[in-house]
Amino acid sequence: MFVGHYAAALAAKAVAPKAPLWTYVLASQLIDVGWSVLIITGAERVRVDPTLPGSALVLEHMPYTHSLPGAALWAVAAAVLAGWLLKLPRWTAAMVGLTVLSHWGLDFLVHRPDLALWFGGPKVGLGWWNYPVPEQALEMGLLAMAGAAWAWRRGTQGRAWWPAPLFLGLLLAVQEIALASPPGGGALELGLTALAVYLVVTLIARLVEPPPKPAV
């Protein structure tokens, strides 16, 4: 699950459009942003096994980001910060938090059993990574449905629908680049690359939907 996580961002934007798109986009990958930083520092551990089908990542130790309680804590923190820093209504800030939490649910579908149910507890994951074609179809299907919902919401607001297919097209381009360049190198290289991708996609979301101009 990579670009499929952004389906949660687009769905949340359709449901609670008061938050900026970039906020939801960052929220959908916030857990992996934290993971990128923590594998750089060595607090969490990952290695690459190119013989594996689908994703080559072996996620050995990531309790602070990808355990269920860890993900819940990230979600609560994101909701609080979104309400405080961006002055969002409570419902909208809660949607930001739910978008963060959706990351764990989507990972559960595709990860091999490496997601802890609690700190030090059993690890779960349905393992769709082992079946790359259905997994890719799942991601594309989620993106298409969420993108359509966002485009519909923009239409109800009297806004242009074209940012939806534009953003989806950019995400697909990112996905193709990722598939053509499988992960390699050590944790430092992997963490820096992942962090850069997440921040660039957030910037793209900011450019696709810039903030409204202040009233004169």
Side-chain angles (χ1 to χ4, degrees):
M1 188 66 64
F2 173 38
V3 297
H5 284 299
Y6 296 114
L10 300 182
K13 181 64 176 175
V15 173
K18 289 186 177 180
L21 176 64
W22 69 264
T23 305
Y24 287 128
V25 166
L26 181 59
S28 68
Q29 292 283 24
L30 186 62
I31 285 175
D32 273 352
V33 169
W35 171 79
S36 300
V37 173
L38 290 180
I39 64 170
I40 291 171
T41 63
E44 295 191 339
R45 298 191 303 274
V46 62
R47 61 182 175 86
V48 176
D49 182 352
T51 67
L52 291 173
S55 174
L57 299 180
V58 179
L59 302 164
E60 297 177 329
H61 180 72
M62 47 179 191
Y64 310 114
T65 56
H66 285 74
S67 66
L68 184 54
L73 289 173
W74 282 86
V76 171
V80 171
L81 287 174
W84 177 43
L85 295 177
L86 300 179
K87 311 300 181 185
L88 297 176
R90 288 183 179 179
W91 162 244
T92 306
M95 283 301 300
V96 173
L98 288 173
T99 303
V100 174
L101 190 58
S102 74
H103 190 103
W104 195 93
L106 291 171
D107 275 355
F108 170 73
L109 297 177
V110 300
H111 276 224
R112 303 173 186 103
D114 52 30
L115 304 169
L117 288 177
W118 56 85
F119 296 122
K123 295 181 179 181
V124 297
L126 296 183
W128 279 37
W129 268 348
N130 294 327
Y131 310 97
V133 173
E135 194 277 333
Q136 289 292 309
L138 173 66
E139 290 198 60
M140 297 306 105
L142 291 173
L143 269 180
M145 290 187 292
W150 178 40
W152 172 82
R153 171 62 76 177
R154 289 182 63 88
T156 65
Q157 296 173 317
R159 305 179 69 185
W161 57 268
W162 62 262
L166 174 61
F167 189 60
L168 289 176
L170 292 170
L171 289 179
L172 293 177
V174 170
Q175 180 82 326
E176 288 302 314
I177 293 171
L179 290 175
S181 306
L188 176 61
E189 180 183 345
L190 180 60
L192 289 173
T193 301
L195 184 60
V197 170
Y198 300 138
L199 296 180
V200 166
V201 174
T202 301
L203 176 60
I204 290 173
R206 171 65 171 71
L207 296 174
V208 166
E209 188 185 75
K213 296 179 180 179
V216 179

